[in-house]
């Protein structure tokens, strides 16, 4: 490295570290209530719900009578972890652990991006993407799950076994990391099956109620921030007789046609996974970043079509988009930008203007149309780009392209 390049590299590192430090200080000031943002207190989940689960879990059982417990058994580790931090109360310890998970992801992306042939664009995506979601990022345990997912994808390029083990562990924290295996080799799937099965048996043996989350999750409806909820936000202005209510731990629509829309949303998810299966069967080409591109596309489809799109779900997408852009020339650059834009709009709809979302007034509906519209466009774009990058064109189509290129070069 020449002295000039070395100085530029040092300057770039200093800039990204400075932005990370500044934005994370703001987030910590917000969750510790030194700075108070408008809207509902996003830390209430930690102060009330998480701490309540902690008190139950420490007795040696899962929250069997709490319908808001809708998480796989390994989630207990994330909820119990703050109790191991000395000299701090539960909420403060949780925020510190969330910050450390954030630092871990940043360090992984910074290290991976600094290697030969890699890019630090991914680290920049993470640096800006997390604060775009505001204090919600540090007030949910999704940051810890994302840290596991990022580590799995970065390690999985060379170590499929590590990918499988970490993906399985992540799935037992919050289900969605199983999608990291969308393009994984058989060794990763085998390791995931062994790791996941063993851990499930261990959780079931250690504490009763390890599978209670399956029943509670099945009973969820259409959450007010989801894609399907837009139907009812608009319908309320035309006399729809339903209402909004806190139900199974989230603010949902209840009333006529809600079960139908929820079923259609699940059907849309099935269609999305059908496309993923077709892509998996047709894909023939791959590069170092294909594993991350496929995982990002799969989780993006899952998030966009879900009955529930909670603000913290954007943390997953930001983390996976960041991994994609560690690899120069990734086809996911445009979808990643759309996800960053969606994260910024998410901060507006929750917590800043959440009352408008609940009321279905023009501002709330506009914010949801923009945020969910960005996710839909990002999903379609990611699917098209992944397909073009990995599925060979038919022979006839390929000849037409080559002929057109040759014709242009002659003119």
């Amino acid at each position: 490295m020449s002295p000039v390049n070395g100085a530029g590299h040092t300057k770039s590192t200093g800039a990204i570290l400075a932005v990370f430090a500044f934005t994370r200080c703001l987030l910590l000031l917000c969750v510790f209530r030194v700075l108070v943002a408008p809207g509902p207190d996003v830390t209430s989940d930690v102060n009330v719900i998480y701490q309540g689960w902690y008190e139950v879990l420490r007795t040696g059982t899962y929250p069997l009578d709490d319908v808001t417990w809708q998480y796989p058994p390994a989630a207990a580790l994330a909820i119990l972890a703050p109790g191991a931090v000395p000299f701090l109360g539960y909420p403060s310890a949780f925020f510190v652990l969330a910050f450390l998970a954030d630092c871990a992801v940043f360090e992984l992306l910074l290290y991976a991006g600094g290697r030969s042939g890699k890019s630090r664009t991914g680290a920049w995506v993470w640096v800006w993407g997390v604060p775009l979601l505001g204090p919600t990022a540090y007030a949910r345990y999704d940051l810890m799950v994302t840290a596991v997912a990022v580590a799995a994808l970065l390690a999985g390029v060379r170590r499929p076994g590590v990918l499988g083990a970490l993906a399985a562990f992540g799935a037992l924290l919050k289900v969605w990391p199983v999608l990291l295996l969308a393009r994984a080799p058989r060794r990763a799937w085998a390791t995931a099956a062994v790791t996941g099965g063993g851990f499930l048996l261990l959780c079931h043996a250690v504490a009763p109620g390890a599978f209670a989350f399956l029943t509670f999750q099945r009973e969820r409806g259409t959450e007010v921030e989801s894609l399907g909820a837009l139907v009812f936000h608009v319908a309320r202005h035309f006399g729809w007789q339903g209402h909004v209510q806190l139900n199974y731990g989230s603010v949902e629509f209840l009333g006529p046609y809600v079960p139908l829309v929820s079923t259609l949303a699940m059907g849309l998810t099935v269609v999305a996974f059908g496309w993923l299966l077709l892509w998996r069967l047709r894909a023939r080409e791959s590069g170092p970043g294909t594993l991350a591109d496929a995982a990002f596309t799969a989780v993006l489809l899952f998030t966009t079509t879900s009955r529930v799109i909670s603000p913290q779900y954007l943390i997953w997408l930001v983390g996976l988009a960041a991994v994609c852009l560690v690899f120069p020339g990734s086809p996911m650059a445009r979808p990643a930008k759309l996800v960053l834009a969606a994260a910024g709009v998410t901060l507006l709809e929750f917590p800043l203007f959440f009352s408008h979302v609940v009321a279905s007034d023009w501002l709330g509906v506009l914010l949801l149309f923009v945020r969910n519209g960005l996710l839909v466009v990002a999903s379609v774009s990611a699917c098209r780009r992944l397909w073009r990058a990995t599925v060979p064109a038919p022979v006839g189509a390929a000849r037409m392209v080559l002929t057109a290129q040759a014709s242009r070069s002659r003119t």
Side-chain angles (χ1 to χ4, degrees):
M1 181 182 293
S2 69
V4 174
N5 289 339
H9 181 79
T10 302
K11 184 178 180 180
S12 173
T13 301
I16 197 171
L17 289 174
V19 175
F20 180 83
F22 176 72
T23 54
R24 273 42 180 192
C25 282
L26 288 179
L27 288 179
L28 288 170
L29 289 173
C30 287
V31 293
F32 281 107
R33 308 292 289 171
V34 177
L35 298 176
V36 180
D41 178 12
V42 300
T43 64
S44 60
D45 275 20
V46 177
N47 299 330
V48 180
I49 298 177
Y50 285 10
Q51 191 162 1
W53 291 339
Y54 168 78
E55 297 298 338
V56 175
L57 288 166
R58 65 188 300 199
T59 66
T61 182
Y62 286 90
L64 298 174
D65 300 319
D66 188 347
V67 296
T68 62
W69 176 260
Q70 301 169 9
Y71 305 105
L77 298 177
I79 303 302
L80 289 170
V85 180
F87 312 120
L88 290 176
Y90 186 90
S92 298
F94 184 92
F95 301 143
V96 169
L97 290 177
F99 169 67
L100 293 177
D102 184 8
C103 291
V105 175
F106 175 61
E107 176 58 30
L108 286 170
L109 292 168
L110 196 63
Y111 173 76
R115 301 181 68 179
S116 177
K118 300 298 188 294
S119 170
R120 285 189 168 173
T121 304
W124 277 111
V125 168
W126 182 255
V127 165
W128 287 115
V130 173
L132 279 175
L133 289 167
T136 303
Y138 278 14
R140 304 292 187 271
Y141 83 93
D142 296 79
L143 239 172
M144 304 169 190
V145 185
T146 304
V148 175
V150 169
L153 287 176
L154 291 176
V157 175
R158 296 183 178 180
R159 300 178 180 86
V162 176
L163 166 64
L166 289 177
F169 179 64
L172 293 177
L173 282 169
K174 205 165 186 180
V175 180
W176 66 266
V178 72
L179 298 174
L180 304 181
L181 301 173
R183 183 57 172 165
R186 293 180 181 178
R187 180 182 173 188
W189 279 95
T191 306
V194 173
T195 303
F199 201 90
L200 275 174
L201 291 175
L202 178 63
C203 290
H204 180 69
V206 169
F211 300 102
F213 77 99
L214 294 173
T215 301
F216 300 151
Q217 184 67 243
R218 187 176 64 244
E219 299 298 328
R220 296 193 75 162
T222 296
E223 186 253 357
V224 296
E225 297 168 86
S226 66
L227 183 63
L230 287 170
V231 174
F232 301 112
H233 282 294
V234 174
R236 292 176 87 179
H237 294 272
F238 295 91
W240 179 68
Q241 297 302 309
H243 62 281
V244 172
Q245 180 178 312
L246 184 63
N247 189 51
Y248 289 96
S250 66
V251 181
E252 299 180 351
F253 278 115
L254 298 177
Y257 306 109
V258 172
L260 173 61
V261 170
S262 297
T263 301
L264 290 174
M266 289 187 286
L268 191 59
T269 300
V270 171
V271 171
F273 284 119
W275 180 90
L276 279 173
L277 178 60
L278 176 63
W279 166 79
R280 188 68 176 84
L281 294 174
R282 295 285 301 278
R284 293 292 182 271
E285 302 172 6
S286 64
T290 303
L291 180 70
D293 295 340
F296 173 62
T297 303
V299 176
L300 185 55
L301 288 171
F302 171 81
T303 302
T304 304
T305 60
S306 174
R307 293 173 295 166
V308 178
I309 305 180
S310 296
Q312 61 269 23
Y313 290 10
L314 274 293
I315 299 173
W316 317 343
L317 301 178
V318 169
L320 299 186
V323 177
C324 291
L325 297 192
V326 165
F327 301 93
S330 169
M332 296 300 148
R334 183 169 181 265
K337 292 176 182 177
L338 292 169
V339 164
L340 287 178
V345 180
T346 298
L347 174 61
L348 295 177
E349 64 93 357
F350 184 90
L352 298 184
F353 299 112
F354 190 61
S355 61
H356 295 271
V357 172
V358 173
S360 300
D361 65 18
W362 70 268
L363 177 58
V365 174
L366 176 63
L367 288 173
L368 283 184
F369 262 108
V370 173
R371 197 281 301 276
N372 291 346
L374 286 167
L375 290 179
V376 170
V377 174
S379 299
V380 173
S381 176
C383 289
R384 291 180 62 188
R385 289 164 178 260
L386 182 65
W387 187 278
R388 290 176 177 176
T390 57
V391 177
V395 175
R399 287 176 178 172
M400 290 176 62
V401 171
L402 291 174
T403 301
Q405 290 176 345
S407 176
R408 284 196 297 268
S409 64
R410 286 195 297 269
T411 59

